[in-house]
Amino acid sequence: MSAGEQQGNWTLLTAHGRTLVAIAQDPDARMRDLAAVIGVTERTVQAIVADLEAAGYVTHTRVGRRNSYTVDETRPFRHPAQDGHLVGPLLDLLAGHASHEQLTQ
């Protein structure tokens, strides 16, 4: 039995959280690439990215026929239990990159 089977089928991060991390890791990823990484359909990724954009966590810029995404690491978590915490440090940890502030210091 695998570790996932032993612990049930839930994950610690929601699909929205996994999408945000995946975009932070690869801002030029296509929807199909994100879907494969996250484990959901392309349609689901499109809806999640739309949610993240509407909430201000992600913006996109058109580059030719593709989109390039920018994550706003200064956005706060949405749940009151994480009040006062920004998403940047979590993304730095999970996406494996230094934030803009760390790069400019």
Side-chain angles (χ1 to χ4, degrees):
M1 192 179 319
S2 73
E5 291 170 341
Q6 292 172 357
Q7 298 174 6
N9 62 356
W10 63 275
T11 61
L12 193 56
L13 292 178
T14 66
H16 282 68
R18 291 191 312 270
T19 302
L20 194 60
V21 170
I23 290 171
Q25 289 173 322
D26 186 1
D28 299 320
R30 297 174 298 179
M31 291 289 170
R32 75 176 71 162
D33 300 329
L34 293 171
V37 168
I38 296 156
V40 297
T41 66
E42 284 185 56
R43 184 174 292 236
T44 298
V45 170
Q46 290 170 346
I48 291 170
V49 170
D51 288 346
L52 292 172
E53 284 193 275
Y57 288 91
V58 173
T59 56
H60 76 272
T61 304
R62 203 72 178 150
V63 180
R65 293 176 26 164
R66 295 180 64 173
N67 288 325
S68 182
Y69 297 93
T70 303
V71 175
D72 183 352
E73 295 185 2
T74 65
R75 298 291 301 167
F77 279 88
R78 292 172 48 101
H79 196 279
Q82 289 82 41
D83 188 35
H85 293 280
L86 304 179
V87 298
L90 179 70
L91 293 175
D92 291 342
L93 178 68
L94 296 180
H97 65 85
S99 70
H100 176 71
E101 289 177 4
Q102 290 171 330
L103 291 174
T104 58
Q105 290 181 357

XYZ file of all heavy atoms in Angstrom:
801
model
N 0.850 -1.181 0.000
C 0.000 0.000 0.000
C 0.895 1.245 0.000
O 1.838 1.349 0.749
C -0.896 -0.029 1.251
C -1.986 0.961 1.193
S -3.148 1.014 2.597
C -3.465 -0.653 3.019
N 0.569 2.218 -0.875
C 1.362 3.440 -0.951
C 1.018 4.379 0.201
O 0.006 4.211 0.871
C 1.115 4.155 -2.289
O -0.165 4.744 -2.298
N 1.868 5.386 0.376
C 1.628 6.356 1.451
C 0.292 7.066 1.256
O -0.434 7.330 2.203
C 2.765 7.372 1.511
N -0.066 7.387 -0.013
C -1.338 8.047 -0.291
C -2.525 7.185 0.070
O -3.534 7.662 0.565
N -2.428 5.871 -0.179
C -3.519 4.963 0.154
C -3.656 4.807 1.663
O -4.748 4.660 2.180
C -3.285 3.602 -0.491
C -3.412 3.636 -2.003
C -2.947 2.346 -2.650
O -2.202 1.578 -2.006
O -3.315 2.107 -3.801
N -2.552 4.866 2.373
C -2.584 4.715 3.820
C -3.237 5.917 4.484
O -3.873 5.783 5.523
C -1.163 4.553 4.373
C -0.495 3.264 3.978
C 0.969 3.252 4.380
O 1.491 4.228 4.907
N 1.637 2.153 4.114
N -3.100 7.083 3.900
C -3.564 8.308 4.531
C -4.884 8.822 3.957
O -5.351 9.873 4.353
C -2.492 9.390 4.385
C -1.211 9.010 5.083
C -0.109 10.015 4.823
O -0.325 11.053 4.221
N 1.075 9.710 5.282
N -5.490 8.145 3.038
C -6.718 8.627 2.413
C -6.415 9.396 1.150
O -5.258 9.503 0.731
N -7.419 9.970 0.537
C -7.213 10.631 -0.752
C -7.229 12.155 -0.684
O -7.337 12.803 -1.700
C -8.256 10.139 -1.754
C -9.663 10.483 -1.328
O -9.883 11.020 -0.252
N -10.624 10.163 -2.169
N -7.116 12.729 0.482
C -7.096 14.187 0.590
C -5.654 14.690 0.510
O -4.715 13.953 0.698
C -7.773 14.659 1.869
C -7.105 14.206 3.132
C -7.297 13.019 3.778
C -6.126 14.913 3.881
N -6.503 12.957 4.887
C -5.757 14.108 4.975
C -5.507 16.149 3.741
C -4.818 14.493 5.920
C -4.572 16.536 4.685
C -4.243 15.711 5.753
N -5.509 15.963 0.187
C -4.189 16.586 0.140
C -4.189 17.813 1.041
O -5.240 18.381 1.338
C -3.796 17.005 -1.287
O -4.741 17.955 -1.764
C -3.747 15.809 -2.220
N -3.012 18.216 1.449
C -2.896 19.342 2.362
C -3.238 20.667 1.683
O -3.861 21.534 2.281
C -1.482 19.392 2.944
C -1.280 20.310 4.138
C -2.241 19.969 5.270
C 0.142 20.210 4.629
N -2.859 20.819 0.427
C -3.178 22.038 -0.312
C -4.372 21.804 -1.225
O -4.496 20.744 -1.826
C -1.991 22.486 -1.172
C -0.762 22.991 -0.443
C 0.329 23.343 -1.443
C -1.089 24.194 0.410
N -5.209 22.793 -1.362
C -6.332 22.715 -2.299
C -5.814 22.823 -3.721
O -4.646 23.165 -3.961
C -7.317 23.877 -2.058
O -6.660 25.105 -2.401
C -7.821 23.913 -0.628
N -6.675 22.584 -4.672
C -6.299 22.742 -6.076
C -5.910 24.192 -6.362
O -5.007 24.459 -7.158
C -7.438 22.297 -6.985
N -6.546 25.140 -5.690
C -6.176 26.547 -5.864
C -4.749 26.781 -5.371
O -3.962 27.469 -6.022
C -7.155 27.458 -5.124
C -8.449 27.662 -5.835
N -9.370 26.646 -5.995
C -8.977 28.760 -6.418
C -10.419 27.119 -6.653
N -10.205 28.407 -6.920
N -4.426 26.230 -4.215
C -3.073 26.381 -3.679
C -2.037 25.723 -4.572
O -0.973 26.295 -4.835
N -2.334 24.516 -5.053
C -1.395 23.826 -5.935
C -1.212 24.586 -7.247
O -0.115 24.652 -7.787
C -1.869 22.399 -6.203
C -1.775 21.507 -4.975
C -1.974 20.033 -5.275
N -3.118 19.694 -6.099
C -4.338 19.422 -5.649
N -4.590 19.458 -4.346
N -5.310 19.090 -6.485
N -2.283 25.191 -7.745
C -2.194 25.985 -8.975
C -1.323 27.208 -8.761
O -0.472 27.524 -9.600
C -3.606 26.407 -9.450
O -4.390 25.242 -9.659
C -3.537 27.224 -10.728
N -1.500 27.882 -7.649
C -0.687 29.061 -7.351
C 0.789 28.689 -7.258
O 1.651 29.389 -7.808
C -1.169 29.721 -6.057
C -0.663 31.126 -5.775
C -1.065 32.100 -6.871
C -1.185 31.606 -4.430
N 1.098 27.582 -6.612
C 2.481 27.120 -6.508
C 3.017 26.763 -7.895
O 4.140 27.147 -8.256
C 2.600 25.908 -5.551
C 3.985 25.278 -5.629
C 2.299 26.334 -4.122
N 2.230 26.064 -8.698
C 2.677 25.667 -10.032
C 2.948 26.882 -10.915
O 3.921 26.904 -11.670
C 1.646 24.749 -10.682
N 2.108 27.900 -10.815
C 2.331 29.133 -11.589
C 3.588 29.843 -11.097
O 4.370 30.361 -11.895
C 1.097 30.050 -11.539
C -0.046 29.421 -12.341
C 1.430 31.447 -12.056
C -1.373 30.136 -12.193
N 3.797 29.866 -9.790
C 5.019 30.485 -9.249
C 6.261 29.743 -9.744
O 7.289 30.366 -10.001
C 4.965 30.497 -7.723
N 6.160 28.435 -9.902
C 7.295 27.647 -10.391
C 7.534 27.853 -11.876
O 8.670 27.839 -12.325
C 7.061 26.153 -10.122
C 7.154 25.785 -8.671
C 6.759 24.346 -8.418
O 5.836 23.815 -9.028
N 7.461 23.717 -7.497
N 6.470 28.006 -12.646
C 6.584 28.143 -14.102
C 5.551 29.137 -14.608
O 4.455 28.758 -15.010
C 6.391 26.782 -14.767
C 6.629 26.823 -16.271
O 6.964 27.900 -16.814
O 6.466 25.766 -16.916
N 5.898 30.428 -14.593
C 4.939 31.470 -14.988
C 4.480 31.382 -16.440
O 3.487 31.982 -16.804
C 5.703 32.779 -14.751
C 6.833 32.429 -13.865
C 7.148 30.994 -14.110
N 5.199 30.646 -17.271
C 4.843 30.530 -18.680
C 4.142 29.211 -19.003
O 3.957 28.875 -20.172
C 6.094 30.682 -19.549
C 6.751 32.039 -19.371
O 6.018 33.044 -19.279
O 7.988 32.105 -19.308
N 3.755 28.469 -17.984
C 3.117 27.167 -18.193
C 1.777 27.325 -18.915
O 1.052 28.286 -18.689
C 2.905 26.458 -16.861
N 1.496 26.366 -19.788
C 0.201 26.325 -20.460
C -0.820 25.669 -19.531
O -0.455 24.967 -18.587
C 0.306 25.510 -21.755
C 1.260 26.148 -22.755
C 1.451 25.255 -23.934
N 2.052 23.983 -23.461
C 2.334 22.961 -24.238
N 2.074 23.008 -25.525
N 2.869 21.870 -23.738
N -2.091 25.892 -19.811
C -3.159 25.315 -18.996
C -3.026 23.793 -18.923
O -3.193 23.202 -17.864
C -4.536 25.686 -19.540
C -4.877 27.134 -19.392
S -5.195 27.572 -17.672
C -5.270 29.339 -17.806
N -2.710 23.162 -20.053
C -2.590 21.697 -20.051
C -1.425 21.243 -19.180
O -1.500 20.206 -18.541
C -2.489 21.139 -21.456
C -1.139 21.347 -22.114
C -1.059 20.707 -23.457
N -1.900 21.477 -24.354
C -1.831 21.431 -25.663
N -1.001 20.630 -26.247
N -2.595 22.183 -26.395
N -0.345 22.036 -19.149
C 0.799 21.698 -18.292
C 0.418 21.821 -16.822
O 0.759 20.969 -16.007
C 1.993 22.607 -18.601
C 2.464 22.501 -20.042
O 2.338 21.409 -20.636
O 2.961 23.515 -20.562
N -0.285 22.898 -16.495
C -0.736 23.092 -15.117
C -1.687 21.969 -14.703
O -1.572 21.430 -13.606
C -1.422 24.449 -14.961
C -0.533 25.684 -15.117
C -1.378 26.955 -15.158
C 0.498 25.751 -14.019
N -2.591 21.604 -15.592
C -3.551 20.539 -15.287
C -2.831 19.236 -14.974
O -3.196 18.519 -14.036
C -4.518 20.353 -16.458
N -1.796 18.922 -15.749
C -1.047 17.688 -15.528
C -0.328 17.705 -14.183
O -0.328 16.712 -13.450
C -0.046 17.478 -16.656
N 0.254 18.841 -13.824
C 0.968 18.961 -12.553
C 0.004 18.883 -11.373
O 0.283 18.220 -10.372
C 1.765 20.292 -12.508
C 2.276 20.590 -11.111
C 2.917 20.271 -13.500
N -1.125 19.545 -11.498
C -2.070 19.663 -10.391
C -2.946 18.413 -10.254
O -3.395 18.075 -9.173
C -2.931 20.930 -10.589
C -2.028 22.148 -10.531
C -4.021 21.043 -9.542
C -2.581 23.339 -11.234
N -3.178 17.752 -11.378
C -3.997 16.549 -11.351
C -5.478 16.821 -11.516
O -6.318 16.124 -10.930
N -5.798 17.853 -12.296
C -7.186 18.195 -12.590
C -7.314 18.413 -14.093
O -6.331 18.369 -14.826
C -7.647 19.458 -11.815
C -7.604 19.237 -10.323
C -6.807 20.669 -12.193
N -8.521 18.678 -14.569
C -8.731 18.918 -15.990
C -8.314 20.337 -16.377
O -8.211 21.222 -15.516
C -10.211 18.728 -16.374
O -10.980 19.750 -15.723
C -10.709 17.342 -15.978
N -8.121 20.545 -17.680
C -7.791 21.889 -18.162
C -8.905 22.881 -17.835
O -8.642 24.019 -17.465
C -7.553 21.882 -19.670
C -6.217 21.307 -20.078
C -5.982 21.427 -21.561
O -6.037 22.559 -22.095
O -5.736 20.382 -22.186
N -10.130 22.428 -17.964
C -11.279 23.295 -17.658
C -11.252 23.733 -16.194
O -11.533 24.882 -15.865
C -12.588 22.577 -17.972
C -13.806 23.447 -17.765
C -15.031 22.736 -18.238
N -14.954 22.607 -19.690
C -15.878 23.048 -20.519
N -16.949 23.620 -20.054
N -15.741 22.909 -21.812
N -10.897 22.805 -15.309
C -10.804 23.131 -13.882
C -9.691 24.138 -13.645
O -9.858 25.102 -12.888
C -10.583 21.859 -13.050
O -11.714 20.993 -13.235
C -10.420 22.174 -11.567
N -8.546 23.949 -14.306
C -7.439 24.900 -14.165
C -7.861 26.275 -14.660
O -7.549 27.292 -14.029
C -6.179 24.423 -14.910
C -5.122 25.516 -14.973
C -5.599 23.199 -14.247
N -8.576 26.334 -15.772
C -9.045 27.624 -16.287
C -9.917 28.331 -15.260
O -9.772 29.543 -15.038
C -9.808 27.436 -17.593
C -8.926 27.026 -18.749
C -9.717 26.618 -19.976
O -10.924 26.395 -19.919
N -9.024 26.505 -21.095
N -10.797 27.597 -14.616
C -11.677 28.186 -13.594
C -10.865 28.639 -12.381
O -11.120 29.716 -11.822
C -12.752 27.182 -13.172
N -9.892 27.839 -11.980
C -9.058 28.197 -10.825
C -8.239 29.447 -11.125
O -8.164 30.367 -10.302
C -8.153 27.020 -10.417
C -8.995 25.885 -9.825
C -7.078 27.474 -9.436
C -8.229 24.589 -9.619
N -7.622 29.493 -12.302
C -6.822 30.669 -12.673
C -7.720 31.905 -12.729
O -7.321 32.983 -12.275
C -6.065 30.436 -14.002
C -5.443 31.724 -14.520
C -4.992 29.360 -13.815
N -8.932 31.761 -13.231
C -9.878 32.889 -13.245
C -10.182 33.346 -11.818
O -10.229 34.556 -11.547
C -11.162 32.498 -13.971
N -10.378 32.395 -10.903
C -10.592 32.745 -9.494
C -9.394 33.489 -8.925
O -9.546 34.504 -8.230
C -10.817 31.491 -8.636
C -12.159 30.820 -8.851
O -13.057 31.436 -9.463
O -12.296 29.661 -8.399
N -8.192 32.974 -9.189
C -6.970 33.588 -8.661
C -6.764 34.987 -9.234
O -6.338 35.894 -8.523
C -5.754 32.703 -8.956
C -5.709 31.363 -8.213
C -4.566 30.497 -8.741
C -5.575 31.574 -6.707
N -7.108 35.165 -10.510
C -6.997 36.493 -11.121
C -8.027 37.447 -10.523
O -7.695 38.593 -10.202
C -7.168 36.413 -12.634
C -5.937 35.878 -13.339
C -5.997 36.088 -14.827
O -6.581 35.247 -15.519
O -5.428 37.108 -15.284
N -9.257 36.985 -10.370
C -10.317 37.836 -9.804
C -9.971 38.282 -8.391
O -10.312 39.395 -7.983
C -11.655 37.093 -9.821
N -9.274 37.434 -7.643
C -8.901 37.759 -6.261
C -7.588 38.537 -6.183
O -7.181 38.942 -5.091
C -8.795 36.475 -5.436
N -6.916 38.742 -7.319
C -5.688 39.538 -7.330
C -4.415 38.774 -7.035
O -3.354 39.377 -6.898
N -4.481 37.454 -6.958
C -3.277 36.663 -6.676
C -2.416 36.478 -7.922
O -1.208 36.298 -7.822
C -3.650 35.281 -6.121
C -4.178 35.345 -4.722
C -5.539 35.487 -4.479
C -3.325 35.281 -3.630
C -6.031 35.563 -3.194
C -3.807 35.362 -2.342
C -5.165 35.500 -2.131
O -5.645 35.587 -0.853
N -3.044 36.513 -9.090
C -2.355 36.259 -10.351
C -2.821 37.273 -11.381
O -3.989 37.636 -11.412
C -2.679 34.826 -10.861
C -2.122 34.593 -12.249
C -2.165 33.770 -9.908
N -1.900 37.735 -12.209
C -2.241 38.525 -13.389
C -1.576 37.844 -14.581
O -0.611 37.104 -14.411
C -1.746 39.982 -13.291
O -0.339 39.985 -13.066
C -2.442 40.733 -12.175
N -2.107 38.105 -15.752
C -1.478 37.521 -16.937
C -1.188 38.592 -17.966
O -1.853 39.623 -18.018
C -2.335 36.394 -17.537
C -3.519 36.874 -18.308
N -4.733 37.131 -17.721
C -3.679 37.135 -19.626
C -5.585 37.531 -18.641
N -4.975 37.546 -19.806
N -0.172 38.314 -18.743
C 0.232 39.173 -19.843
C 0.292 38.297 -21.082
O 0.844 37.190 -21.023
C 1.623 39.790 -19.592
O 1.596 40.478 -18.341
C 2.024 40.737 -20.694
N -0.252 38.781 -22.152
C -0.236 38.037 -23.400
C 1.145 38.164 -24.027
O 1.666 39.268 -24.206
C -1.301 38.632 -24.311
C -1.811 37.762 -25.366
C -2.699 36.679 -24.809
N -3.154 35.951 -25.974
C -3.457 34.682 -25.984
N -3.410 33.983 -24.882
N -3.841 34.112 -27.069
N 1.759 37.034 -24.362
C 3.063 36.998 -25.033
C 2.875 36.138 -26.283
O 2.869 34.908 -26.197
C 4.159 36.406 -24.119
C 5.494 36.379 -24.847
C 4.261 37.181 -22.815
N 2.678 36.808 -27.408
C 2.357 36.064 -28.616
C 1.013 35.394 -28.463
O 0.013 36.030 -28.163
N 1.000 34.073 -28.636
C -0.249 33.317 -28.512
C -0.428 32.721 -27.123
O -1.380 32.001 -26.874
C -0.265 32.196 -29.542
C -0.346 32.711 -30.950
C -0.271 31.644 -31.994
N -0.737 30.349 -31.525
C -1.052 29.348 -32.303
N -0.957 29.477 -33.602
N -1.443 28.189 -31.808
N 0.499 33.003 -26.230
C 0.456 32.395 -24.896
C 0.340 33.463 -23.820
O 0.504 34.651 -24.067
C 1.723 31.574 -24.678
C 1.773 30.404 -25.653
C 2.966 29.574 -25.489
N 3.006 28.927 -24.183
C 3.908 28.043 -23.859
N 4.834 27.680 -24.706
N 3.908 27.490 -22.667
N 0.080 33.002 -22.613
C 0.017 33.885 -21.448
C 1.240 33.661 -20.580
O 1.738 32.549 -20.463
C -1.224 33.601 -20.604
C -2.488 34.076 -21.262
O -2.500 35.096 -21.937
N -3.563 33.339 -21.086
N 1.699 34.728 -19.979
C 2.725 34.649 -18.949
C 2.083 35.207 -17.684
O 1.431 36.253 -17.723
C 3.953 35.470 -19.335
O 4.948 35.348 -18.346
N 2.252 34.499 -16.582
C 1.576 34.859 -15.342
C 2.537 35.484 -14.342
O 3.715 35.152 -14.307
C 0.926 33.620 -14.711
C -0.135 33.033 -15.597
C 0.162 32.017 -16.490
C -1.430 33.522 -15.562
C -0.806 31.485 -17.325
C -2.406 33.002 -16.392
C -2.082 31.987 -17.270
O -3.052 31.480 -18.093
N 2.013 36.373 -13.536
C 2.748 36.978 -12.443
C 1.944 36.758 -11.173
O 0.733 37.016 -11.146
C 2.936 38.495 -12.669
O 3.597 38.700 -13.917
C 3.739 39.120 -11.547
N 2.617 36.272 -10.139
C 1.966 36.033 -8.853
C 2.261 37.216 -7.937
O 3.405 37.652 -7.825
C 2.484 34.724 -8.209
C 1.898 34.542 -6.819
C 2.165 33.534 -9.097
N 1.247 37.738 -7.297
C 1.413 38.815 -6.321
C 1.660 38.176 -4.961
O 0.725 37.743 -4.284
C 0.180 39.707 -6.280
C 0.339 40.894 -5.338
O 1.356 40.946 -4.590
O -0.550 41.749 -5.337
N 2.918 38.106 -4.585
C 3.298 37.460 -3.329
C 2.944 38.281 -2.101
O 3.085 37.810 -0.976
C 4.797 37.146 -3.340
C 5.171 36.126 -4.393
C 6.621 35.715 -4.331
O 7.367 36.197 -3.440
O 7.017 34.903 -5.163
N 2.439 39.500 -2.304
C 2.067 40.356 -1.172
C 0.602 40.177 -0.783
O 0.131 40.845 0.142
C 2.331 41.840 -1.476
O 1.473 42.262 -2.540
C 3.786 42.066 -1.853
N -0.094 39.298 -1.479
C -1.503 39.055 -1.149
C -1.602 38.244 0.140
O -0.828 37.335 0.375
C -2.216 38.295 -2.277
C -2.259 39.023 -3.605
C -3.131 40.228 -3.590
N -4.500 39.812 -3.242
C -5.457 40.630 -2.899
N -5.244 41.914 -2.853
N -6.662 40.180 -2.596
N -2.595 38.553 0.967
C -2.784 37.779 2.200
C -3.532 36.479 1.914
O -4.222 36.345 0.900
C -3.650 38.708 3.052
C -4.444 39.488 2.052
C -3.526 39.681 0.869
N -3.405 35.538 2.839
C -4.231 34.345 2.777
C -5.682 34.766 2.944
O -5.978 35.773 3.594
C -3.856 33.362 3.891
C -2.648 32.544 3.568
C -1.385 33.007 3.885
C -2.772 31.314 2.944
C -0.268 32.260 3.593
C -1.655 30.556 2.647
C -0.396 31.027 2.964
N -6.587 33.999 2.417
C -8.006 34.365 2.446
C -8.725 33.925 3.715
O -9.732 34.496 4.078
C -8.717 33.770 1.225
C -8.272 34.415 -0.063
C -8.816 33.703 -1.281
N -10.227 33.425 -1.243
C -11.168 34.118 -1.875
N -10.826 35.148 -2.604
N -12.430 33.770 -1.801
N -8.236 32.922 4.376
C -8.944 32.385 5.538
C -8.559 33.160 6.801
O -7.388 33.478 7.010
C -8.617 30.901 5.722
C -9.572 30.212 6.640
N -9.461 30.279 8.007
C -10.670 29.461 6.371
C -10.434 29.592 8.549
N -11.189 29.082 7.582
N -9.518 33.471 7.670
C -9.230 34.226 8.892
C -8.197 33.552 9.804
O -7.504 34.230 10.552
C -10.585 34.317 9.600
C -11.603 34.056 8.563
C -10.960 33.201 7.523
N -8.071 32.248 9.734
C -7.099 31.551 10.585
C -5.663 31.929 10.225
O -4.762 31.794 11.046
C -7.281 30.031 10.482
N -5.445 32.416 8.991
C -4.112 32.844 8.569
C -4.031 34.366 8.448
O -3.180 34.900 7.734
C -3.728 32.207 7.218
C -3.437 30.735 7.292
C -4.695 29.894 7.273
O -5.627 30.168 6.537
N -4.733 28.872 8.116
N -4.887 35.061 9.172
C -4.926 36.514 9.121
C -3.537 37.097 9.392
O -2.851 36.692 10.322
C -5.925 37.045 10.156
C -6.163 38.527 10.020
O -6.153 39.025 8.880
O -6.363 39.192 11.056
N -3.139 38.022 8.547
C -1.854 38.688 8.719
C -0.696 37.999 8.009
O 0.405 38.523 7.986
N -0.934 36.829 7.424
C 0.125 36.116 6.714
C -0.021 36.321 5.215
O -1.127 36.314 4.680
C 0.077 34.612 7.016
C 0.416 34.302 8.434
N 1.709 34.255 8.895
C -0.373 34.033 9.495
C 1.701 33.963 10.177
N 0.443 33.833 10.576
N 1.112 36.506 4.547
C 1.127 36.688 3.098
C 1.469 35.377 2.407
O 2.132 34.510 2.986
C 2.152 37.755 2.717
C 1.976 39.120 3.399
C 3.071 40.078 2.961
C 0.592 39.690 3.104
N 1.066 35.240 1.143
C 1.323 34.000 0.409
C 2.777 33.870 -0.031
O 3.249 32.767 -0.289
C 0.388 33.837 -0.811
C -1.062 33.763 -0.378
C 0.607 34.914 -1.839
N 3.503 34.972 -0.099
C 4.891 34.947 -0.574
C 5.788 33.952 0.138
O 6.459 33.148 -0.521
N 5.860 33.962 1.455
C 6.733 33.002 2.138
C 6.363 31.544 1.867
O 7.246 30.696 1.731
C 6.565 33.354 3.618
C 6.217 34.815 3.608
C 5.353 34.981 2.380
N 5.077 31.253 1.753
C 4.673 29.883 1.429
C 5.129 29.516 0.019
O 5.650 28.422 -0.211
C 3.161 29.714 1.547
C 2.649 28.319 1.189
C 3.070 27.313 2.251
C 1.148 28.323 1.021
N 4.958 30.437 -0.914
C 5.396 30.174 -2.283
C 6.906 30.023 -2.360
O 7.412 29.178 -3.098
C 4.917 31.276 -3.220
C 3.413 31.352 -3.428
C 3.051 32.545 -4.277
C 2.881 30.069 -4.027
N 7.627 30.837 -1.593
C 9.084 30.703 -1.570
C 9.483 29.304 -1.116
O 10.385 28.684 -1.679
C 9.721 31.734 -0.637
C 9.610 33.153 -1.167
O 9.362 33.327 -2.378
O 9.764 34.081 -0.362
N 8.794 28.807 -0.127
C 9.089 27.483 0.402
C 8.704 26.383 -0.580
O 9.507 25.501 -0.879
C 8.348 27.283 1.731
C 8.503 25.927 2.397
C 9.931 25.753 2.886
C 7.534 25.807 3.550
N 7.490 26.440 -1.093
C 6.989 25.353 -1.936
C 7.430 25.443 -3.395
O 7.588 24.422 -4.052
C 5.468 25.295 -1.861
C 4.891 24.966 -0.491
C 3.379 24.948 -0.545
C 5.429 23.645 0.016
N 7.596 26.644 -3.899
C 7.987 26.791 -5.299
C 9.499 26.779 -5.462
O 10.007 26.686 -6.570
C 7.391 28.069 -5.888
N 10.219 26.909 -4.354
C 11.677 26.815 -4.408
C 12.357 27.976 -5.093
O 13.317 27.807 -5.815
N 11.859 29.174 -4.856
C 12.508 30.354 -5.427
C 12.531 31.472 -4.405
O 11.759 31.483 -3.460
C 11.802 30.812 -6.707
C 10.401 31.298 -6.483
N 10.104 32.577 -6.114
C 9.218 30.660 -6.569
C 8.806 32.709 -5.981
N 8.244 31.552 -6.255
N 13.424 32.418 -4.628
C 13.527 33.568 -3.735
C 12.521 34.619 -4.163
O 12.288 34.835 -5.350
C 14.936 34.148 -3.788
N 11.920 35.271 -3.205
C 10.971 36.336 -3.523
C 11.717 37.557 -4.036
O 12.935 37.675 -3.910
C 10.162 36.711 -2.269
O 10.994 37.376 -1.343
N 10.972 38.472 -4.603
C 11.542 39.718 -5.113
C 12.297 40.458 -4.010
O 13.394 40.965 -4.223
C 10.447 40.602 -5.706
C 10.942 41.931 -6.165
N 11.730 42.061 -7.281
C 10.800 43.174 -5.660
C 12.046 43.340 -7.443
N 11.477 44.018 -6.457
N 11.722 40.492 -2.799
C 12.383 41.183 -1.688
C 13.735 40.543 -1.362
O 14.707 41.229 -1.111
C 11.496 41.158 -0.442
C 10.287 42.047 -0.552
C 9.398 41.942 0.682
O 9.766 41.233 1.627
O 8.345 42.583 0.678
N 13.802 39.213 -1.373
C 15.058 38.532 -1.081
C 16.082 38.792 -2.169
O 17.279 38.926 -1.900
C 14.831 37.028 -0.952
C 14.055 36.655 0.303
C 13.663 35.192 0.296
O 13.448 34.590 -0.752
N 13.598 34.620 1.499
N 15.654 38.905 -3.421
C 16.565 39.118 -4.528
C 17.140 40.530 -4.520
O 18.238 40.762 -4.998
C 15.857 38.876 -5.867
C 15.480 37.427 -6.144
C 14.642 37.355 -7.429
C 16.690 36.542 -6.272
N 16.379 41.513 -3.998
C 16.831 42.896 -4.030
C 17.573 43.310 -2.775
O 18.002 44.436 -2.672
C 15.622 43.841 -4.250
O 14.665 43.633 -3.202
C 14.991 43.600 -5.611
N 17.726 42.424 -1.816
C 18.435 42.785 -0.574
C 19.902 42.459 -0.681
O 20.354 41.627 -1.360
C 17.840 42.050 0.617
C 16.479 42.564 0.956
C 15.886 41.832 2.165
O 16.471 40.913 2.718
N 14.725 42.265 2.560
